[in-house]
């Protein structure tokens, strides 16, 4: 089960609205949806969760590029909404890069032409998505939620904890 909401910061505090993501196909579409929620170019947070699996926060500040945090990239990669957030850049796979990142290679003797068939048999590869947080873990620092607190949140209650820290728990609960 998924839940997605927009939290828009206004002069009067936070305003929440639930949002339907079925028509959102790209991160750019999601950022445009967030910008429409607050025409004053103030901060808008898109909060997305898949019950007990992962959560994501997309922050849009005016016309700036969206900032993204995903609690478990591998879990998110298995969902349509998660795939929206997991860009090549976020996963450290910049399009058009000049070959593999040599610091990330596991040089265990297979570089001499040996193969690691076990990686291919179970469907994983060197490009596998990590079972860990990805993105901007400082996305909410200026709003009172530091990197350590964000990384410590469990997927099952993360959005409520974020809203509570922002002073927006009541408005978020009205759209749940």
């Amino acid at each position: 089960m998924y839940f997605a909401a927009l939290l828009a910061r206004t002069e009067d505090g936070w305003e929440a609205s639930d949002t339907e993501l079925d028509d959102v196909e790209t991160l750019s579409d999601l950022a445009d949806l967030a910008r429409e929620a607050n025409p004053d170019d103030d901060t808008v947070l898109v909060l997305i969760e898949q019950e007990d699996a992962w959560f994501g926060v997309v922050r849009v500040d005016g016309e700036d590029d969206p900032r993204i945090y995903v609690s478990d990239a591998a879990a998110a990669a298995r969902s349509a909404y998660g795939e929206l957030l997991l860009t090549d850049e976020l996963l450290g796979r910049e399009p058009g890069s000049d070959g593999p990142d040599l610091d990330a290679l596991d040089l265990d003797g297979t570089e001499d032409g040996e193969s690691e068939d076990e990686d291919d048999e179970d469907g994983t590869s060197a490009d596998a998505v990590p079972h860990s947080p990805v993105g901007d873990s400082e996305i909410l620092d200026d709003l009172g939620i530091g990197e350590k607190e964000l990384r410590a949140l469990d997927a099952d209650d993360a959005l409520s904890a974020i809203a509570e820290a922002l002073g927006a728990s009541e408005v978020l609960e009205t759209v749940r």
Side-chain angles (χ1 to χ4, degrees):
M1 180 171 173
Y2 292 94
F3 173 73
L6 297 173
L7 280 180
R9 186 166 57 181
T10 67
E11 291 178 3
D12 300 325
W14 291 95
E15 291 181 7
S17 58
D18 62 344
T19 187
E20 187 61 48
L21 298 180
D22 290 342
D23 295 332
V24 175
E25 295 180 8
T26 66
L27 181 58
S28 180
D29 292 344
L30 186 61
D32 290 344
L33 182 69
R35 287 182 185 104
E36 289 171 11
N38 194 348
D40 295 333
D41 289 340
D42 211 339
T43 299
V44 178
L45 302 176
V46 181
L47 305 174
I48 303 171
E49 72 180 357
Q50 180 181 1
E51 193 173 306
D52 298 330
W54 67 275
F55 71 92
V57 178
V58 178
R59 180 176 178 159
V60 178
D61 293 302
E63 292 300 317
D64 292 346
D65 288 340
R67 295 167 55 194
I68 305 165
Y69 176 82
V70 176
S71 66
D72 183 335
R78 293 187 297 269
S79 80
Y81 298 139
E83 287 181 349
L84 271 176
L85 307 180
L86 298 174
T87 63
D88 284 338
E89 182 179 352
L90 192 70
L91 295 172
R93 299 184 209 156
E94 292 191 42
S97 65
D98 297 325
D101 178 3
L102 297 179
D103 293 330
L105 290 178
D106 183 14
L107 300 177
D108 59 357
T110 59
E111 65 275 10
D112 294 328
E114 300 171 25
S115 67
E116 288 185 320
D117 293 334
E118 61 199 51
D119 279 356
D120 296 331
E121 289 173 11
D122 68 2
T124 62
S125 70
D127 291 334
V129 178
H131 280 283
S132 62
V134 295
D136 184 353
S137 56
E138 297 174 352
I139 192 171
L140 301 173
D141 272 1
D142 64 324
L143 299 175
I145 302 170
E147 176 179 2
K148 186 176 181 180
E149 293 87 2
L150 186 62
R151 288 181 173 268
L153 294 175
D154 289 326
D156 58 340
D157 65 348
L159 299 192
S160 296
I162 291 169
E164 185 174 324
L166 298 175
S169 56
E170 287 183 23
V171 294
L172 182 65
E173 285 306 314
T174 62
V175 297
R176 265 203 193 264

